Amino acid sequence: MGLIKDLQFSLRQLRKAKVFAVVAAVTLALGIGCNTAIFSVFCSVLLRPLPFSDPDRLVIVSERATSLPMLTASRLNLKDWKTQSTSFEEFGATRPVTMALTGGAEPEQIPGQMISGNLLHMLGVDTVAGKPISAVDDQPASPAVALLGYGLWQRRFGRAESVIGQTISLDRQTYTVSGCFRRGSSCCIRHQISSLPWGRGLANCRRTAPCTRALTLSPG
């Protein structure tokens, strides 16, 4: 009974001081919201494991300068890292791009990434339809191939598996659809298309950094 009387008294006091009650409620709401947001970030960054196989062995390698602590790597430098490195088992690369998808429906700009042939194998990422891009597709004479993100596959192609093996036009270049990512795949949260060859359009110059990020797999 004492607790109920205390609550009734508190409510009467809050009704008398409405401004104080509103400020207290807003402050409490902001505090709870900030704590929830901070914990969500802390959980996703530090507590929840990365959605890849062997996440503790993955390392992002980049170049650096005095004024810029993190630079993207040129294609030739990445090639040398692969040849000369004794500390890492394997190197993969990704290059964010925006590609114009044309043909069939209305043209649209699609956020995508060009990836090296071994990247999906390194990350342990698979497809729900078709097959993932592999090192076999990363040869000079191999045709250009693309993987569709689940959202793009569902929205533009109605999740039809018949799209596998068909060609699409990206930036006026022809790509063969190799497969489609699973729903919620970590590789297509921000990118709706992953394609090869990842080195297309990159200058063979060490002084340029064509937005290439290197991911490596350290020895187990």
Side-chain angles (χ1 to χ4, degrees):
M1 295 295 294
L3 178 61
I4 295 177
K5 289 184 178 180
D6 289 341
L7 289 175
Q8 292 174 341
F9 175 76
S10 298
L11 291 175
R12 286 196 298 269
Q13 293 298 109
L14 288 175
R15 280 198 297 267
K16 292 179 182 179
K18 294 182 179 180
V19 174
F20 172 78
V22 170
V23 172
V26 171
T27 302
L28 185 62
L30 288 175
I32 293 174
C34 289
N35 283 334
T36 302
I38 291 173
F39 178 78
S40 298
V41 173
F42 178 82
C43 179
S44 61
V45 174
L46 298 178
L47 300 182
R48 187 180 303 163
L50 294 174
F52 305 120
S53 61
D54 298 322
D56 56 327
R57 297 175 59 199
L58 290 175
V59 181
I60 295 180
V61 179
S62 66
E63 298 180 353
R64 61 179 303 173
T66 303
S67 57
L68 296 171
M70 187 172 184
L71 292 173
T72 52
S74 69
R75 188 183 183 188
L76 291 182
N77 285 354
L78 179 62
K79 183 178 179 180
D80 286 344
W81 293 350
K82 290 181 180 179
T83 304
Q84 301 172 15
S85 174
T86 58
S87 301
F88 299 104
E89 181 179 322
E90 194 172 2
F91 278 81
T94 176
R95 181 165 70 107
V97 292
T98 299
M99 312 180 84
L101 175 62
T102 55
E106 289 293 321
E108 60 178 309
Q109 295 290 319
I110 304 294
Q113 58 183 339
M114 288 189 172
I115 62 175
S116 59
N118 63 334
L119 183 65
L120 299 182
H121 171 71
M122 282 178 54
L123 300 179
V125 175
D126 203 356
T127 56
V128 68
K131 63 177 183 178
I133 292 172
S134 67
V136 177
D137 301 308
D138 207 358
Q139 304 303 316
S142 298
V145 294
L147 285 172
L148 304 179
Y150 188 90
L152 178 63
W153 179 42
Q154 182 181 43
R155 171 173 53 83
R156 184 134 179 165
F157 302 97
R159 288 192 302 176
E161 295 193 16
S162 58
V163 72
I164 307 300
Q166 293 185 9
T167 59
I168 57 175
S169 178
L170 298 171
D171 287 347
R172 299 182 180 179
Q173 300 287 339
T174 300
Y175 290 77
T176 300
V177 177
S178 171
C180 305
F181 285 114
R182 297 180 182 277
R183 183 197 294 269
S185 172
S186 54
C187 282
C188 63
I189 293 175
R190 291 181 300 174
H191 306 108
Q192 284 298 302
I193 284 184
S194 296
S195 61
L196 261 176
W198 71 274
R200 174 173 288 173
L202 301 186
N204 288 321
C205 177
R206 297 185 189 279
R207 292 176 296 178
T208 59
C211 298
T212 299
R213 293 245 176 124
L215 290 88
T216 66
L217 203 61
S218 60

